[in-house]
Amino acid sequence: MPDSPSLEGLRVLAHPVRLRILSLLTGVAMSAAEAARELGETQANVSYHVRRLHEAGLLDVVEEVRIRGGLAKRYRHDPESGRRFASTNPREEQLLIATMAEELRRRSEFRVLGEHGSMTDAEMWVDRETWEKALGHARELSGLLHSAARPPRTRGTIPVSATVAMFEMTRS
């Protein structure tokens, strides 16, 4: 029996190169070759991951351009597309969270020391109203950053990292 779209979506998301591709293609449409150059990966590797992301509905073809006699598709990521992926399989969600944690570790190597930032790590009990309000703020933050994303090295922009994983926990 084939996997559900949500389960397959989580598997597609749970890969560090794919997370980087989605982040990159939020700010600009690129071909797999252009994305590979920007990410420092091979074109074959990025092409494979772009195909998987496109098949999962996370990347849209926004234009096709002629390059050296061939036709190159340029893809773009709509951050809203990921909202349909949900799973009740804890192993799948743990895989995605582990991938996010590894990507955060990679990004932290590029942190500009001494610059403003925000870090929070918390495991606590709060009332339902506070929790819902915090989730709303996290979604608002995500929307703000994704809508402001620009192509790499655009004049007046700075590279930033944002990783937010908020979830209700079982009572222990």
Side-chain angles (χ1 to χ4, degrees), residues 110-150:
F110 302 99
R111 183 170 182 257
V112 177
L113 298 177
E115 288 299 317
H116 296 291
S118 175
M119 287 189 213
T120 299
D121 179 54
E123 179 180 334
M124 60 188 73
W125 291 70
V126 298
D127 60 82
R128 175 67 56 193
E129 182 181 342
T130 300
W131 174 244
E132 295 298 331
K133 191 174 183 179
L135 284 175
H137 286 304
R139 290 181 185 119
E140 184 180 343
L141 169 67
S142 176
L144 171 68
L145 290 172
H146 281 97
S147 67
R150 300 294 174 256

Coordinates of all heavy atoms in Angstrom, one line a residue, residues 110-150:
F110 N 28.2 29.2 10.9 CA 28.3 30.4 10.1 C 27.8 31.6 10.9 O 27.6 32.7 10.4 CB 27.5 30.3 8.8 CG 28.0 29.2 7.9 CD1 27.4 28.0 7.9 CD2 29.2 29.4 7.2 CE1 27.8 27.0 7.1 CE2 29.7 28.4 6.4 CZ 29.0 27.1 6.4
R111 N 27.5 31.4 12.2 CA 26.9 32.5 13.1 C 27.9 33.6 13.2 O 29.1 33.4 13.4 CB 26.6 31.9 14.4 CG 25.9 32.8 15.4 CD 25.4 32.1 16.6 NE 24.8 33.1 17.5 CZ 25.3 33.6 18.5 NH1 26.5 33.2 18.9 NH2 24.6 34.5 19.3
V112 N 27.4 34.8 13.1 CA 28.2 36.0 13.3 C 28.2 36.3 14.8 O 27.2 36.7 15.4 CB 27.7 37.2 12.5 CG1 28.5 38.5 12.8 CG2 27.6 36.9 11.0
L113 N 29.4 36.1 15.4 CA 29.5 36.3 16.8 C 29.4 37.8 17.2 O 29.8 38.6 16.5 CB 30.8 35.7 17.3 CG 31.0 34.2 17.1 CD1 32.4 33.8 17.6 CD2 30.0 33.5 17.8
G114 N 28.7 38.0 18.3 CA 28.5 39.4 18.7 C 27.3 40.1 18.1 O 27.0 41.2 18.6
E115 N 26.7 39.5 17.1 CA 25.5 40.2 16.6 C 24.3 39.7 17.3 O 24.2 38.7 17.9 CB 25.4 39.8 15.1 CG 26.4 40.5 14.2 CD 26.3 42.0 14.2 OE1 25.2 42.6 14.2 OE2 27.4 42.6 14.3
H116 N 23.2 40.6 17.2 CA 22.0 40.2 17.9 C 21.4 39.0 17.3 O 21.4 38.7 16.2 CB 21.0 41.4 17.8 CG 21.5 42.7 18.5 ND1 21.6 42.8 19.8 CD2 21.9 43.8 18.0 CE1 22.0 44.0 20.1 NE2 22.3 44.6 19.0
G117 N 20.7 38.3 18.2 CA 20.0 37.1 17.8 C 19.1 36.7 18.9 O 18.9 37.5 19.9
S118 N 18.5 35.6 18.8 CA 17.6 35.1 19.9 C 17.6 33.6 20.0 O 17.6 32.9 18.9 CB 16.1 35.6 19.6 OG 15.2 35.0 20.6
M119 N 17.8 33.1 21.2 CA 17.8 31.7 21.4 C 17.0 31.4 22.5 O 17.1 32.0 23.6 CB 19.2 31.2 21.6 CG 20.1 31.2 20.4 SD 21.6 30.3 20.8 CE 22.7 31.2 19.7
T120 N 16.1 30.4 22.3 CA 15.2 29.9 23.4 C 15.2 28.4 23.4 O 15.0 27.9 22.3 CB 13.8 30.5 23.3 OG1 13.9 31.9 23.3 CG2 12.9 30.0 24.4
D121 N 15.3 27.8 24.5 CA 15.1 26.4 24.6 C 14.3 26.2 25.9 O 14.7 26.7 26.9 CB 16.4 25.6 24.7 CG 16.1 24.1 24.8 OD1 15.4 23.6 24.0 OD2 16.6 23.5 25.8
A122 N 13.1 25.6 25.7 CA 12.2 25.5 26.9 C 11.4 24.2 26.9 O 10.9 23.8 25.8 CB 11.3 26.7 27.0
E123 N 11.3 23.7 28.0 CA 10.3 22.6 28.2 C 9.6 22.9 29.5 O 10.2 23.0 30.6 CB 11.1 21.2 28.4 CG 10.1 20.1 28.7 CD 10.9 18.8 28.8 OE1 12.0 18.6 28.3 OE2 10.4 17.9 29.5
M124 N 8.3 23.3 29.4 CA 7.6 23.9 30.5 C 6.1 23.6 30.4 O 5.7 23.1 29.3 CB 7.9 25.4 30.6 CG 7.4 26.1 29.4 SD 7.9 27.9 29.3 CE 9.6 27.7 29.0
W125 N 5.4 23.9 31.4 CA 4.0 23.8 31.4 C 3.4 25.2 31.3 O 3.8 26.1 32.1 CB 3.5 23.1 32.7 CG 3.9 21.7 32.8 CD1 5.1 21.2 33.0 CD2 3.0 20.6 32.8 NE1 5.1 19.8 33.0 CE2 3.8 19.4 32.9 CE3 1.6 20.4 32.6 CZ2 3.2 18.1 32.9 CZ3 1.1 19.2 32.6 CH2 1.9 18.0 32.7
V126 N 2.4 25.4 30.4 CA 1.8 26.7 30.3 C 0.3 26.4 30.1 O -0.1 25.3 29.7 CB 2.3 27.6 29.1 CG1 3.8 27.9 29.3 CG2 2.1 26.9 27.8
D127 N -0.5 27.5 30.3 CA -2.0 27.3 30.0 C -2.3 27.3 28.5 O -1.5 27.7 27.7 CB -2.8 28.4 30.7 CG -2.4 29.8 30.2 OD1 -2.9 30.2 29.2 OD2 -1.6 30.5 30.9
R128 N -3.4 26.7 28.2 CA -3.8 26.5 26.8 C -3.8 27.8 26.0 O -3.3 27.9 24.9 CB -5.1 25.8 26.7 CG -5.7 25.7 25.3 CD -5.0 24.7 24.4 NE -4.9 23.4 24.9 CZ -4.1 22.5 24.4 NH1 -3.3 22.7 23.3 NH2 -4.0 21.3 25.0
E129 N -4.3 28.9 26.6 CA -4.4 30.2 25.9 C -3.0 30.7 25.6 O -2.7 31.2 24.5 CB -5.1 31.2 26.8 CG -5.3 32.6 26.2 CD -6.0 33.6 27.1 OE1 -6.6 33.1 28.1 OE2 -5.9 34.8 26.8
T130 N -2.0 30.6 26.5 CA -0.7 31.1 26.2 C 0.0 30.2 25.1 O 0.6 30.7 24.2 CB 0.2 31.0 27.5 OG1 -0.4 31.8 28.5 CG2 1.6 31.4 27.3
W131 N -0.3 28.9 25.2 CA 0.3 28.0 24.1 C -0.3 28.4 22.7 O 0.5 28.6 21.8 CB -0.1 26.6 24.4 CG 0.3 25.6 23.4 CD1 -0.5 24.9 22.6 CD2 1.6 25.4 22.9 NE1 0.2 24.1 21.7 CE2 1.5 24.4 21.8 CE3 2.9 25.8 23.2 CZ2 2.6 23.9 21.1 CZ3 4.0 25.3 22.5 CH2 3.8 24.4 21.5
E132 N -1.6 28.6 22.6 CA -2.2 29.0 21.3 C -1.6 30.4 20.9 O -1.3 30.5 19.7 CB -3.7 29.0 21.4 CG -4.3 27.7 21.7 CD -4.1 26.7 20.6 OE1 -3.9 27.0 19.4 OE2 -4.1 25.5 20.9
K133 N -1.4 31.3 21.8 CA -0.9 32.6 21.4 C 0.6 32.4 20.9 O 1.0 33.1 19.9 CB -0.9 33.5 22.6 CG -0.6 35.0 22.4 CD -0.9 35.8 23.6 CE -0.6 37.2 23.4 NZ -0.9 38.0 24.6
A134 N 1.4 31.6 21.6 CA 2.8 31.4 21.2 C 2.8 30.8 19.8 O 3.6 31.1 19.0 CB 3.5 30.5 22.2
L135 N 1.9 29.8 19.5 CA 1.9 29.2 18.2 C 1.6 30.2 17.1 O 2.1 30.2 16.1 CB 0.9 28.0 18.2 CG 1.2 26.7 18.9 CD1 0.1 25.8 18.8 CD2 2.4 26.1 18.2
G136 N 0.6 31.1 17.4 CA 0.3 32.1 16.5 C 1.4 33.1 16.2 O 1.7 33.4 15.0
H137 N 2.2 33.4 17.2 CA 3.4 34.2 17.0 C 4.4 33.5 16.2 O 5.1 34.1 15.3 CB 4.0 34.7 18.4 CG 3.2 35.7 19.1 ND1 2.9 36.9 18.5 CD2 2.7 35.7 20.3 CE1 2.2 37.7 19.4 NE2 2.1 37.0 20.5
A138 N 4.6 32.2 16.4 CA 5.6 31.5 15.6 C 5.2 31.4 14.2 O 6.0 31.6 13.3 CB 5.7 30.0 16.2
R139 N 3.9 31.2 13.9 CA 3.4 31.2 12.5 C 3.6 32.6 11.9 O 3.9 32.7 10.7 CB 2.0 30.8 12.5 CG 1.8 29.3 12.8 CD 0.4 28.8 12.7 NE 0.3 27.4 13.2 CZ -0.4 27.0 14.2 NH1 -1.1 27.9 14.9 NH2 -0.4 25.7 14.6
E140 N 3.3 33.6 12.7 CA 3.5 35.0 12.2 C 5.0 35.3 11.8 O 5.3 35.8 10.8 CB 3.0 36.0 13.2 CG 3.0 37.4 12.8 CD 2.5 38.4 13.8 OE1 1.9 38.0 14.8 OE2 2.8 39.6 13.7
L141 N 5.9 34.8 12.7 CA 7.3 35.0 12.5 C 7.7 34.3 11.2 O 8.4 34.8 10.3 CB 8.1 34.4 13.6 CG 9.6 34.3 13.4 CD1 10.3 35.6 13.3 CD2 10.2 33.5 14.6
S142 N 7.2 33.1 11.0 CA 7.6 32.3 9.8 C 7.1 33.0 8.6 O 7.8 33.1 7.6 CB 6.9 30.9 9.9 OG 7.1 30.2 8.7
G143 N 5.8 33.5 8.6 CA 5.3 34.2 7.5 C 6.1 35.5 7.2 O 6.3 35.8 6.0
L144 N 6.5 36.2 8.2 CA 7.2 37.4 8.0 C 8.6 37.1 7.3 O 8.9 37.8 6.3 CB 7.5 38.1 9.3 CG 8.5 39.3 9.3 CD1 7.9 40.5 8.6 CD2 8.8 39.7 10.8
L145 N 9.3 36.2 7.8 CA 10.6 35.8 7.2 C 10.5 35.3 5.8 O 11.2 35.7 4.9 CB 11.4 34.9 8.1 CG 11.8 35.5 9.5 CD1 12.4 34.4 10.4 CD2 12.9 36.6 9.2
H146 N 9.5 34.4 5.6 CA 9.4 33.8 4.3 C 9.0 34.8 3.2 O 9.4 34.8 2.1 CB 8.4 32.6 4.3 CG 9.0 31.3 4.8 ND1 8.9 30.9 6.1 CD2 9.8 30.4 4.2 CE1 9.5 29.8 6.3 NE2 10.1 29.5 5.2
S147 N 8.1 35.7 3.6 CA 7.6 36.7 2.6 C 8.7 37.7 2.3 O 8.7 38.4 1.3 CB 6.4 37.4 3.1 OG 6.6 38.2 4.3
A148 N 9.7 37.9 3.2 CA 10.7 38.9 3.0 C 12.0 38.2 2.4 O 12.9 39.0 2.1 CB 11.1 39.5 4.4
A149 N 12.0 36.9 2.2 CA 13.1 36.2 1.6 C 13.5 36.8 0.2 O 12.6 37.0 -0.6 CB 12.9 34.7 1.5
R150 N 14.8 37.0 0.0 CA 15.3 37.5 -1.3 C 16.3 36.6 -1.8 O 16.9 35.8 -1.1 CB 15.9 38.9 -1.1 CG 14.9 40.0 -0.6 CD 13.8 40.3 -1.6 NE 12.8 41.1 -1.1 CZ 11.6 40.7 -0.7 NH1 11.2 39.5 -0.8 NH2 10.7 41.6 -0.2

